[in-house]
């Protein structure tokens, strides 16, 4: 199960024993084509962040529902309770089992279909999230992770996206080999690591009627607040996070270059060692002595371990690309608000 950990977007762990009802998807074909979410689930996720999410604090929870053909219907959810590492007696798996058992007793959908997590300026693509989602999809084929962005939502547009790991990445995670050679052989790049699943939010007729009533009662002046330009703090924070990720990427490049230099240096040492052995055997042969015994050169010169490539892919592709997209959307959004504000001003005049 995904669990809360300091400084990470998600935590590893799987939901043992649970299996999805859908049939296994063919290679390259996703088991889920669409995610349908009840409006109540969206409100619960938003409420969870508003109550427990402070600043860059990440909140997580469990998604419940059922699978209908190739559509995943999320009908309920419940949050992970707030706790610290000092709560050693707290068992998250036991807590989730008890919650699901209680929901089953009151005839509410209790099948485990994934998990959700908030994000801080789009920085959700981490190794911890990758491990958690792999555990979920390995145990429950149709499971997804919902990513809720409270900052974009506060700007007037609900930001909720569903992601799954691609079949290629699932195979690599099963092998647990993230070396550059393994990722190159599997043809893994950041473009084909995650797949986004379309989301449809569905409400009952009574809820739709209530929303219409609330919209009629809302003040018109409040709606104009959406036309105000976004704070420059958002742009500054996105740029700062982008620079941090670029620095991390530069450090990974330095590590990889160091690895290549060590490999080249070791190859030279092997070649020199073999030449010395060959010359010594020639001298021993001229003296009528037997040649030196054969040695396993790989044991004498152990190859250096290559740095893991997965973290570099996550930083270079997903995170940097997300921050660039945030900055692009920020500028486009402000430009659109300027045009709308000017149009309203001309209309009022």
């Amino acid at each position: 199960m995904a669990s809360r950990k300091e400084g990470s977007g998600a935590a590893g762990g799987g939901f043992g024993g649970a299996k999805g009802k859908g049939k296994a998807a063919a290679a390259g074909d996703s088991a889920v084509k669409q995610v349908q979410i009840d409006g109540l689930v969206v409100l619960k996720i938003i409420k969870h962040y508003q109550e427990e999410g402070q600043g860059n604090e990440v909140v997580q929870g469990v998604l419940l529902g059922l699978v209908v053909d190739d559509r995943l219907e999320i009908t309920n959810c419940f949050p992970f309770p707030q706790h610290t590492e000092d709560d050693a007696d707290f068992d998250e798996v036991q807590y989730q089992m008890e919650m699901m058992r209680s929901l089953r007793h009151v005839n509410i959908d209790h099948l485990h279909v994934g998990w959700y997590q908030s994000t801080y300026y789009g920085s959700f693509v981490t190794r911890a999230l990758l491990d958690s989602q792999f555990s979920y999809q390995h145990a429950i084929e149709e499971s997804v992770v919902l990513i809720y962005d409270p900052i974009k939502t506060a700007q007037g547009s609900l930001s909720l996206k569903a992601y799954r790991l691609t079949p290629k990445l699932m195979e690599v995670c099963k092998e647990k080999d993230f070396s550059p050679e393994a990722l190159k052989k599997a043809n893994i790049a950041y473009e084909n690591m995650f797949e986004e699943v379309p989301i449809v939010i569905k409400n009952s007729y009574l809820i739709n009627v209530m929303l219409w009533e609330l919209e009629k009662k809302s003040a018109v002046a409040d709606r104009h607040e959406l036309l105000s330009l976004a704070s420059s703090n958002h742009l500054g924070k996105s740029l700062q996070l982008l620079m941090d990720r670029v620095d991390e990427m530069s450090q990974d490049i330095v590590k990889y270059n160091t690895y290549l230099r060590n490999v080249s240096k070791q190859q030279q040492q092997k070649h020199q060692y073999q030449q010395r052995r060959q010359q010594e055997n020639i001298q021993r042969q001229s003296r009528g002595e037997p040649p030196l015994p054969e040695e396993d050169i790989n044991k004498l010169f152990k190859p250096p371990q290559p740095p893991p490539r997965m973290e570099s892919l996550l930083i270079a592709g997903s995170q940097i690309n997300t921050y660039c997209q945030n900055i692009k959307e920020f500028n486009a959004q402000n430009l659109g608000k300027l045009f709308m504000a000017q149009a309203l001003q001309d209309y009022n005049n």
Side-chain angles (χ1 to χ4, degrees):
M1 304 302 294
S3 59
R4 191 184 311 276
K5 282 189 179 180
E6 295 297 330
S8 64
F15 185 73
K19 294 289 181 182
K21 289 187 177 182
K23 295 181 180 180
D29 189 20
S30 175
V32 175
K33 300 296 184 182
Q34 187 185 69
V35 175
Q36 178 179 300
I37 310 176
D38 285 3
L40 181 62
V41 175
V42 178
L43 294 178
K44 284 185 175 181
I45 294 175
I46 296 175
K47 184 185 178 203
H48 183 198
Y49 177 81
Q50 290 177 345
E51 291 179 347
E52 297 188 8
Q54 300 293 333
N56 60 352
E57 179 69 18
V58 170
V59 299
Q60 300 171 342
V62 177
L63 299 175
L64 306 174
L66 64 157
V67 180
V68 180
D69 297 329
D70 59 353
R71 184 177 71 253
L72 181 65
E73 297 184 3
I74 301 175
T75 58
N76 203 354
C77 69
F78 62 86
F80 290 132
Q82 185 80 13
H83 65 277
T84 62
E85 295 181 355
D86 297 333
D87 302 330
D89 298 335
F90 181 79
D91 188 346
E92 286 195 350
V93 176
Q94 183 64 27
Y95 166 78
Q96 294 175 51
M97 296 299 292
E98 292 178 358
M99 285 290 297
M100 294 165 66
R101 190 179 301 111
S102 300
L103 293 173
R104 182 172 66 248
H105 288 164
V106 294
N107 200 25
I108 296 178
D109 291 334
H110 61 278
L111 295 180
H112 205 134
V113 294
W115 59 296
Y116 69 85
Q117 173 187 301
S118 65
T119 180
Y120 182 66
Y121 285 94
S123 57
F124 65 92
V125 183
T126 62
R127 179 62 184 275
L129 180 136
L130 176 67
D131 294 339
S132 291
Q133 184 57 25
F134 168 73
S135 300
Y136 272 91
Q137 278 186 232
H138 184 67
I140 311 168
E141 183 186 359
E142 298 86 359
S143 63
V144 299
V145 52
L146 288 183
I147 302 298
Y148 168 65
D149 192 332
I151 296 177
K152 287 186 178 180
T153 302
Q155 296 175 0
S157 177
L158 175 64
S159 179
L160 192 66
K161 296 184 179 181
Y163 291 97
R164 289 170 47 83
L165 302 186
T166 59
K168 282 186 176 182
L169 188 56
M170 286 292 294
E171 291 298 325
V172 172
C173 292
K174 287 180 183 177
E175 299 295 332
K176 297 182 179 180
D177 185 4
F178 301 109
S179 62
E181 292 77 12
L183 295 178
K184 183 178 179 180
K185 181 180 179 181
N187 195 22
I188 292 292
Y190 75 90
E191 295 92 346
N192 55 11
M193 295 176 65
F194 295 88
E195 57 182 2
E196 184 176 351
V197 186
I199 291 179
V200 175
I201 299 178
K202 183 178 180 181
N203 294 320
S204 66
Y205 294 113
L206 291 177
I207 293 179
N208 286 331
V209 171
M210 183 191 71
L211 292 176
W212 279 108
E213 291 293 330
L214 291 176
E215 186 175 2
K216 290 180 180 179
K217 295 179 180 179
S218 62
V220 178
D222 295 338
R223 301 176 188 177
H224 292 169
E225 294 179 359
L226 297 178
L227 296 179
S228 61
L229 296 182
S231 171
S232 59
N233 292 334
H234 297 313
L235 178 60
K237 189 62 179 177
S238 297
L239 288 172
Q240 181 62 47
L241 292 172
L242 176 60
M243 290 188 292
D244 292 341
R245 297 294 86 78
V246 172
D247 289 341
E248 291 180 12
M249 187 61 192
S250 300
Q251 294 175 6
D252 287 341
I253 292 175
V254 171
K255 292 179 182 178
Y256 188 69
N257 289 335
T258 302
Y259 161 74
L260 293 179
R261 287 196 299 268
N262 292 336
V263 170
S264 177
K265 182 178 179 180
Q266 189 181 74
Q267 291 296 334
Q268 294 178 359
Q269 292 176 349
K270 284 183 180 180
H271 183 66
Q272 294 174 359
Y273 177 79
Q274 290 173 341
Q275 284 185 336
R276 288 198 303 268
R277 295 275 295 187
Q278 186 177 6
Q279 293 176 0
E280 189 172 353
N281 283 332
I282 293 176
Q283 295 176 359
R284 291 175 66 90
Q285 186 177 7
S286 63
R287 295 194 299 265
E289 299 176 356
L292 295 173
E294 294 291 336
E295 294 182 350
D296 189 355
I297 194 171
N298 291 325
K299 292 183 178 180
L300 295 176
F301 298 92
K302 293 184 179 180
Q305 291 295 325
R309 180 66 175 159
M310 183 58 67
E311 285 76 5
S312 300
L313 279 178
L314 294 175
I315 295 173
S318 303
Q319 293 192 17
I320 291 180
N321 183 63
T322 299
Y323 295 140
C324 292
Q325 187 66 26
N326 288 345
I327 296 172
K328 180 180 178 181
E329 292 177 359
F330 174 87
N331 293 330
Q333 187 182 45
N334 276 348
L335 184 61
K337 288 180 179 180
L338 282 173
F339 282 121
M340 291 180 66
Q342 184 63 43
L344 282 176
Q345 185 177 0
D346 295 341
Y347 176 79
N348 293 331
N349 294 335

